[in-house]
């Protein structure tokens, strides 16, 4: 018990803001509650300083990074046996490497005799890297990577989060030094220069200048003209049938004489534009579903601006999922809805479904989640950017502007796959002087969006940092919700190389809900695995259904039990939906009275 009596100050010093919490009162209109303006929030000078600092650190909190390195270095300094083990490994590998270097010209010396690239490392896969001295350059680099990995991991006493941060940051620094990133040590670049008479460097310089001009002008690539929203992508015929300040609801025209009576509602993530599921006609899930006789609706989110800084996470539920269900109910009354949520949209759909189940709302017939997490304890390397210091720094970065900018978010995702998204592109575009043909998926990925300040802060704190949804603390309308209240059949899709929503994290839905769960693990990554048209023959998947009262099967056991199937998971899902739908009937009306004033698909919000 404290023996110090705290006497409240009688008056605040002039010019210093009060630190009392500000209570937000929801207006009677149902619109998002008004929040304090940036000038009225506590410690504006500190926040402005952090926002300025973020410009030089790429949004990474220096304090969080420093504490992680201090944790690791201090524990390693106090571990002499671990140091001796690391030193012994270095000496052994160095001896083997020197021996390989001395016999590099020998015909009996095989490449990769000391160390070889891991299966997913594509930097040194070409046969040119097997020749000396380039093979030695690559092996020396790979040995350095392994040495540093050994040094930054397995040190007793270091917290797992700090260990991951140190290992990740070291890996980023080493990736910059890879011999594949430099013309003089990259045999593919030298061979291309010899064959082209150095033209590859001229073309690479042109590519670099074009990228620089585009970066400074904040314009989209000229090549995007072959993927025009509403013409070549997001081109499925439909009409906007409902609009509010946050969404446009698109209803797609039927392409079959009869349709299933239950509509499908697509809830995409608002991190990117909605048309990831309506790309080119051959890659469009919307087009595929309408061709299978389903009535399809999709939410198109409005890209937030500075004025939307106080839009809350729950506003996306109310003005998004619930408003869309209400509109669908007016168009197709009395029908249950097959709801699909993708990525962050799937997390939002899970929250909405749990709240609906709690309140006795039975409008959802089935729930489909694509690469969506409901437990964030193992959310992959994204969690490296999630701790109290980093979130506070990120909040200050968003505070003045009112939103998270597209470049900051894209940069964080690029770091998670720096070899593929940064350094391999540097080598391909600037050293080889080549330009990869743009795909519809790449064009969509470049069409980024912003995230409102308040929504993103709540998302990071409540879901990532505190894991409130998985642990039963998440509240909707001031009352707790639980995923265990969900009883509607679920179809859940994960991908093995997903760096945003790792499939083992997605798999946790099995023990969170009280429902039949059909889980699919499909080939590919977070986007390429979901966009899996049946015409592409390289797709495959595993699938297994767990009924609600069946024993839990962990992810490792699931891999052994689930059968492998060649083909697209779209076919599996379409059959699953059909088995849970009524007999085909006449198509529904398009929209309701008053919808004629709204635009045709893809609407207006997709262009914001």
């Amino acid at each position: 018990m404290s023996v110090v009596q705290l006497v409240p100050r009688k008056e605040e010093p002039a010019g210093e803001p009060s630190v009392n919490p500000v209570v937000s009162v929801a207006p009677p209109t149902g619109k998002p509650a008004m929040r304090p303006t940036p000038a009225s929030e506590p410690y504006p000078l500190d926040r402005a300083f952090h926002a300025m600092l973020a410009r030089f650190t790429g949004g990474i909190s220096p304090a969080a990074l420093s504490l992680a390195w201090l944790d690791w270095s201090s524990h390693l300094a106090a571990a002499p046996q671990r140091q001796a083990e690391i030193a012994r490994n270095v000496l052994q590998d160095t001896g083997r490497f020197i021996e390989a270097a001395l016999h590099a010209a020998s015909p009996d010396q095989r490449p990769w005799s000391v160390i070889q690239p891991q299966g997913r490392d594509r930097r040194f896969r070409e046969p040119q890297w097997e020749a000396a001295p380039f093979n030695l350059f690559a092996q020396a680099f790979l040995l350095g990577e392994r040495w540093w990995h050994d040094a930054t991991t397995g040190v007793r006493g270091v917290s797992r989060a700090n260990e991951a941060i140190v290992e990740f940051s070291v890996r980023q620094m080493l990736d910059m030094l890879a011999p594949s990133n430099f013309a003089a040590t990259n045999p593919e670049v030298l061979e291309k220069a010899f064959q082209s008479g150095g033209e590859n460097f001229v073309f690479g310089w042109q590519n670099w200048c074009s990228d620089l001009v585009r970066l400074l002008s904040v314009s989209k690539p000229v090549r995007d003209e072959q993927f025009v929203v509403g013409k070549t992508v997001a081109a499925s015929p439909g009409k906007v049938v409902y609009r509010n300040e946050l969404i446009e609801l698109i209803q797609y025209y039927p392409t079959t004489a009869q349709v299933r009576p239950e509509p499908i509602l697509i809830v995409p993530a608002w991190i990117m534009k909605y048309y990831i599921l309506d790309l080119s006609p051959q890659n469009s899930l919307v087009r595929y579903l309408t061709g299978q006789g389903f009535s399809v609706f999709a939410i198109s989110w409005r890209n937030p601006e500075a004025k939307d800084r106080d839009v809350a996470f729950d506003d996306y539920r109310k003005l998004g999922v619930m408003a869309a269900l209400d509109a669908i109910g007016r168009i197709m009354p009395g029908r249950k809805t097959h709801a699909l949520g993708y990525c962050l949209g799937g997390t939002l759909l899970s929250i909405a479904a749990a709240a609906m189940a709690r309140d006795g709302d039975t409008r959802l017939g089935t729930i489909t989640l694509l690469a969506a997490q409901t437990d964030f304890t193992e959310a992959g390397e994204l969690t490296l950017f999630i701790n109290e210091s980093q979130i506070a720094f990120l909040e200050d970065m968003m505070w003045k502007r009112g939103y998270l900018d597209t470049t900051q978010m894209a940069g964080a995702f690029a770091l998670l796959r720096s070899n593929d998204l940064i350094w391999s592109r540097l080598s391909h575009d600037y050293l080889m002087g080549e330009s990869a043909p743009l795909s519809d998926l790449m064009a969509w990925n470049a069409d980024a969006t912003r995230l409102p300040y308040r929504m993103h802060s709540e998302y990071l704190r409540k879901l990532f940092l505190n894991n409130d949804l998985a642990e039963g603390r998440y509240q909707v309308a001031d009352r707790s919700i639980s995923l265990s209240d969900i009883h509607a059949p679920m179809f859940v899709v994960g991908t093995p190389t997903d760096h945003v929503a790792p499939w083992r994290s997605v798999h946790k839905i099995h023990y969170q809900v009280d429902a039949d769960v059909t889980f699919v693990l499909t080939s590919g990554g977070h986007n390429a695995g979901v966009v899996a048209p049946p015409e592409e023959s390289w797709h495959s998947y595993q699938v297994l259904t767990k009924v609600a009262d069946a024993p839990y099967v962990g992810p490792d056991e699931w891999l052994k039990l689930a059968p492998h199937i060649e083909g697209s998971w779209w076919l599996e899902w379409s059959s699953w939906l059909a088995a849970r739908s009524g007999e085909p009937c006449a198509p529904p009306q398009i929209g309701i009275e008053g919808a004629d004033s709204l635009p045709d698909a893809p609407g207006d919000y997709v262009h914001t």
Side-chain angles (χ1 to χ4, degrees):
M1 182 176 179
S2 175
V3 296
V4 179
Q5 183 178 3
L6 298 180
V7 180
R9 294 182 178 88
K10 294 183 179 180
E11 59 181 19
E12 295 289 345
E16 186 174 328
S18 171
V19 297
N20 291 332
V22 179
V23 179
S24 172
V25 181
T29 59
K31 294 183 179 180
M34 295 300 295
R35 300 286 292 177
T37 61
S40 68
E41 295 205 22
Y43 308 114
L45 294 180
D46 292 351
R47 289 182 167 229
F49 173 72
H50 295 159
M52 179 192 67
L53 189 61
R55 298 180 181 180
F56 301 97
T57 66
I60 303 298
S61 168
L65 197 60
S66 300
L67 288 172
W69 277 85
L70 179 61
D71 186 12
W72 167 75
S73 60
S74 59
H75 281 89
L76 181 61
Q81 185 175 357
R82 182 79 174 105
Q83 295 176 37
E85 181 185 36
I86 295 171
R88 184 175 64 251
N89 293 337
V90 169
L91 290 175
Q92 289 177 350
D93 289 343
T94 301
R96 294 174 58 202
F97 179 77
I98 292 174
E99 183 179 358
L102 293 174
H103 297 86
S106 172
D108 296 330
Q109 182 68 30
R110 295 184 178 182
W112 313 115
S113 58
V114 181
I115 189 173
Q116 61 183 6
Q118 298 296 316
R120 293 176 59 185
D121 190 345
R122 300 186 295 177
R123 292 171 292 186
F124 313 116
R125 63 179 178 178
E126 298 300 327
Q128 292 94 323
W129 286 100
E130 297 181 359
F134 305 105
N135 186 253
L136 293 176
F137 296 156
Q139 289 192 87
F141 171 76
L142 293 173
L143 283 174
E145 275 196 327
R146 188 169 71 181
W147 295 339
W148 274 105
H149 176 76
D150 290 345
T152 55
T153 58
V155 180
R156 282 179 56 83
V158 181
S159 74
R160 185 169 60 177
N162 286 336
E163 179 184 88
I165 291 174
V166 172
E167 194 274 335
F168 177 82
S169 56
V170 167
R171 181 157 32 98
Q172 298 304 311
M173 291 185 285
L174 290 175
D175 284 345
M176 291 189 293
L177 303 176
S180 55
N181 297 338
F182 303 93
T185 54
N186 189 325
E188 300 174 61
V189 174
L190 294 176
E191 181 178 326
K192 183 69 177 290
F194 179 78
Q195 294 174 349
S196 66
E199 281 188 345
N200 58 306
F201 297 124
V202 177
F203 294 143
W205 172 256
Q206 293 174 348
N207 290 340
W208 184 85
C209 291
S210 297
D211 288 345
L212 179 62
V213 171
R214 191 178 308 120
L215 179 65
L216 296 177
S217 62
V218 200
S219 62
K220 293 182 180 180
V222 175
R223 292 174 293 174
D224 277 6
E225 292 179 359
Q226 62 183 299
F227 298 108
V228 179
V229 174
K231 294 183 179 180
T232 54
V233 293
S236 295
K239 184 171 182 58
V240 175
V241 295
Y242 172 79
R243 173 191 283 167
N244 61 30
E245 56 265 42
L246 196 58
I247 72 164
E248 287 181 333
L249 181 65
I250 300 171
Q251 181 181 5
Y252 292 95
Y253 293 120
T255 58
T256 55
Q258 291 187 314
V259 299
R260 299 284 181 175
E262 296 84 3
I264 295 175
L265 171 62
I266 296 176
V267 184
W270 52 97
I271 293 176
M272 292 289 185
K273 298 295 179 67
Y274 85 94
Y275 62 90
I276 175 65
L277 299 179
D278 186 25
L279 293 170
S280 303
Q282 69 274 14
N283 288 336
S284 171
L285 179 61
V286 169
R287 179 175 177 270
Y288 173 78
L289 291 172
T290 55
Q292 296 298 308
F294 290 100
S295 297
V296 181
F297 294 79
I299 290 175
S300 174
W301 304 99
R302 184 173 64 83
N303 200 5
E305 303 172 6
K307 65 180 181 180
D308 303 305
R309 61 179 293 112
D310 299 314
V311 174
F313 190 89
D314 196 55
D315 292 327
Y316 279 80
R317 181 190 66 87
K318 292 184 293 186
L319 300 176
V321 177
M322 303 312 296
L325 287 173
D326 292 342
I328 292 173
R330 291 190 291 271
I331 298 171
M332 304 176 67
R335 313 282 182 89
K336 287 186 178 292
T337 299
H338 298 305
L340 176 151
Y342 182 19
C343 187
L344 179 55
T347 304
L348 178 69
L349 176 60
S350 301
I351 292 172
M356 293 172 68
R358 179 200 66 186
D359 299 336
D361 189 334
T362 60
R363 285 180 288 177
L364 296 182
T366 67
I367 300 169
T368 298
L369 303 180
L370 307 182
Q373 298 179 92
T374 50
D375 184 304
F376 292 83
T377 52
E378 295 179 316
E381 288 188 330
L382 273 178
T383 56
L384 298 176
F385 304 97
I386 308 299
N387 53 54
E388 184 62 45
S389 174
Q390 181 59 51
I391 291 180
F393 194 74
L394 186 62
E395 287 173 338
D396 292 348
M397 186 174 61
M398 297 186 294
W399 166 75
K400 187 173 183 180
R401 183 173 290 176
Y403 55 79
L404 183 68
D405 196 11
T406 58
T407 56
Q408 294 157 343
M409 185 163 49
F413 284 126
L415 281 177
L416 300 181
R417 297 175 55 201
S418 59
N419 278 336
D420 295 332
L421 301 180
I422 299 177
W423 304 116
S424 65
R425 184 174 181 270
L426 180 150
S427 175
H428 183 271
D429 289 12
Y430 303 156
L431 300 182
M432 299 291 287
E434 300 175 357
S435 297
L438 194 67
S439 66
D440 52 2
L441 192 57
M442 293 169 62
W444 166 83
N445 193 60
D447 193 8
T449 58
R450 299 174 289 271
L451 297 178
Y453 163 60
R454 181 182 173 190
M455 183 287 302
H456 196 45
S457 175
E458 292 176 344
Y459 170 57
L460 293 178
R461 287 191 175 278
K462 293 182 179 180
L463 297 176
F464 265 97
L465 187 63
N466 299 329
N467 206 27
D468 286 349
L469 178 61
E471 297 179 10
R473 292 186 300 270
Y474 196 92
Q475 292 192 340
V476 172
D478 298 325
R479 295 168 57 204
S480 297
I481 62 170
S482 173
L483 295 172
S484 61
D485 289 336
I486 297 177
H487 304 301
M490 301 188 72
F491 190 96
V492 183
V493 177
T495 61
T497 59
D498 196 330
H499 62 289
V500 178
W503 80 268
R504 292 173 185 272
S505 181
V506 175
H507 182 273
K508 293 182 178 183
I509 194 71
H510 280 88
Y511 59 76
Q512 292 178 310
V513 299
D514 185 17
D516 296 349
V517 177
T518 298
F519 190 82
V520 169
L521 183 64
T522 181
S523 56
H526 187 72
N527 297 323
V530 169
V531 182
E535 292 77 13
E536 295 178 349
S537 59
W538 59 270
H539 295 289
S540 63
Y541 62 93
Q542 292 178 260
V543 59
L544 193 66
T545 297
K546 173 193 172 298
V547 297
D549 57 354
Y552 169 70
V553 176
D556 294 327
E557 303 161 277
W558 189 95
L559 282 176
K560 299 175 184 177
L561 294 174
H564 287 262
I565 301 175
E566 297 297 323
S568 169
W569 68 268
W570 289 10
L571 302 172
E572 184 81 27
W573 184 49
S574 177
S575 300
W576 184 88
L577 286 176
R580 290 157 180 80
S581 302
E583 292 299 318
C585 58
Q589 62 177 334
I590 301 298
I592 54 177
E593 185 178 352
D596 294 339
S597 60
L598 297 173
D600 293 332
D604 295 333
Y605 284 180
V606 73
H607 299 291
T608 57

